[in-house]
Amino acid sequence: MYLADEAWPDLESYFESESLALVPLGSTEQHGPHLPEGTDHIIAEAFARRAAEETGYLCTPTITVGVSPHHRQFHGTMSVTAPVFRDYVESLTRSLAEHGIDRVIYVNAHGGNVEHLREVGRRLRDAEVMYAIEWMWDESITDRIQEVFETPGPHGGPKETSLIQYLAGELVHEDRIEDARDGGLREFDESSGRVHGARTFYDAIDNTDNGVLGDQTDASAAVGEELFEAALDQLCQLCEWLAAQPFEDLMPNEHL
């Protein structure tokens, strides 16, 4: 069920019988010369909407701008400050609690949002308002991604390229994929951008001239479909697991 499509009287039965909601979040930021700036929120919304269709749980509208200051040098990147983002997401989530929702899955597709969503989840849990957790598609199928791609890359690489080729292929600049690989940073790991153990970079452009990491030429719509279905299965299972938990078991333990 997609909340924004429903008239309010038709939502009453859902809130009477269910207490879980999916909240998709992403970003509007550069994803290299070949992918749209909406890459993250397109992916997040696709997962949340499909999971809602598969499970019957509620999906809210998508939060399309996240915490993206590290992409600010590239044209069109939008961002909000971390405190504003956290407060907005917390306020939005609390509004769901007013209707009886007591557990939320943040269906997130932007790495820059992760730590802030975890903080919001902690605030809400500590206040015993609800249990809210963050989920990212690629973290649910890490082994499969490693099997499929030699250099997956954490941003604008073949995994995101494959998903957008599958979900919104008309937005992919196929003629720029080789340029994306050649103008970016193909190899990226925990040692990249570190000096004597210290992380020396703050912005994406410090590491990659065109904003992307990984080898995009490994991407395809067929692989994107495979990865999407595999991660969707994980999300649907998470929905069912979370819905089955007694609320008191999700709340903080008492002090020793």
Side-chain angles (χ1 to χ4, degrees):
M1 177 183 292
Y2 182 57
L3 186 150
D5 286 346
E6 302 296 324
W8 73 261
D10 302 319
L11 288 164
E12 182 178 5
S13 60
Y14 183 84
F15 290 121
E16 285 180 345
S17 60
E18 301 289 354
S19 58
L20 186 147
L22 298 153
V23 179
L25 308 94
S27 68
T28 300
E29 64 181 24
Q30 72 84 16
H31 274 78
H34 64 304
L35 291 181
E37 303 230 347
T39 289
D40 288 343
H41 71 249
I42 291 169
I43 291 172
E45 181 166 333
F47 275 115
R49 297 279 297 256
R50 274 287 304 278
E53 291 173 7
E54 296 283 338
T55 64
Y57 293 117
L58 186 70
C59 175
T60 73
T62 304
I63 298 174
T64 58
V65 177
V67 183
S68 304
H70 47 297
H71 295 298
R72 60 195 170 87
Q73 289 90 349
F74 295 93
H75 303 309
T77 291
M78 300 181 70
S79 183
V80 295
T81 63
V84 168
F85 177 79
R86 290 193 295 263
D87 288 348
Y88 178 80
V89 174
E90 180 179 355
S91 181
L92 180 150
T93 310
R94 283 178 176 271
S95 77
L96 293 171
E98 293 177 357
H99 303 293
I101 297 296
D102 64 17
R103 58 205 75 193
V104 159
I105 299 173
Y106 295 126
V107 181
N108 175 44
H110 173 49
N113 294 340
V114 173
E115 63 182 293
H116 310 296
L117 294 173
R118 291 284 298 170
E119 172 60 23
V120 170
R122 173 174 287 281
R123 290 181 191 178
L124 294 167
R125 182 173 181 256
D126 286 352
E128 300 191 7
V129 172
M130 69 164 57
Y131 184 79
I133 52 174
E134 182 265 349
W135 178 88
M136 278 191 74
W137 73 274
D138 55 335
E139 293 181 356
S140 75
I141 52 168
T142 53
D143 290 346
R144 187 62 188 134
I145 288 172
Q146 292 297 327
E147 291 171 4
V148 172
F149 302 122
E150 183 177 345
T151 54
H155 184 76
K159 58 185 179 180
E160 289 184 320
T161 301
S162 293
L163 252 65
I164 296 298
Q165 285 173 320
Y166 169 57
L167 296 172
E170 71 281 4
L171 300 180
V172 179
H173 296 275
E174 297 285 348
D175 59 332
R176 300 177 186 172
I177 285 182
E178 288 189 8
D179 291 339
R181 176 198 61 195
D182 296 340
L185 183 64
R186 183 174 180 177
E187 302 285 346
F188 185 88
D189 57 29
E190 284 300 312
S191 66
S192 301
R194 290 183 182 269
V195 177
H196 300 302
R199 183 179 296 178
T200 60
F201 60 92
Y202 285 94
D203 297 331
I205 204 169
D206 297 336
N207 287 320
T208 166
D209 291 340
N210 70 3
V212 294
L213 306 158
D215 185 353
Q216 294 77 17
T217 61
D218 286 344
S220 72
V223 171
E225 181 177 12
E226 177 193 344
L227 297 179
F228 183 85
E229 293 297 333
L232 176 65
D233 180 65
Q234 293 295 307
L235 178 56
C236 290
Q237 290 189 57
L238 177 62
C239 289
E240 301 296 356
W241 172 84
L242 184 55
Q245 303 309 302
F247 181 72
E248 57 272 18
D249 290 352
L250 298 171
M251 291 296 97
N253 289 323
E254 295 291 335
H255 191 283
L256 294 177

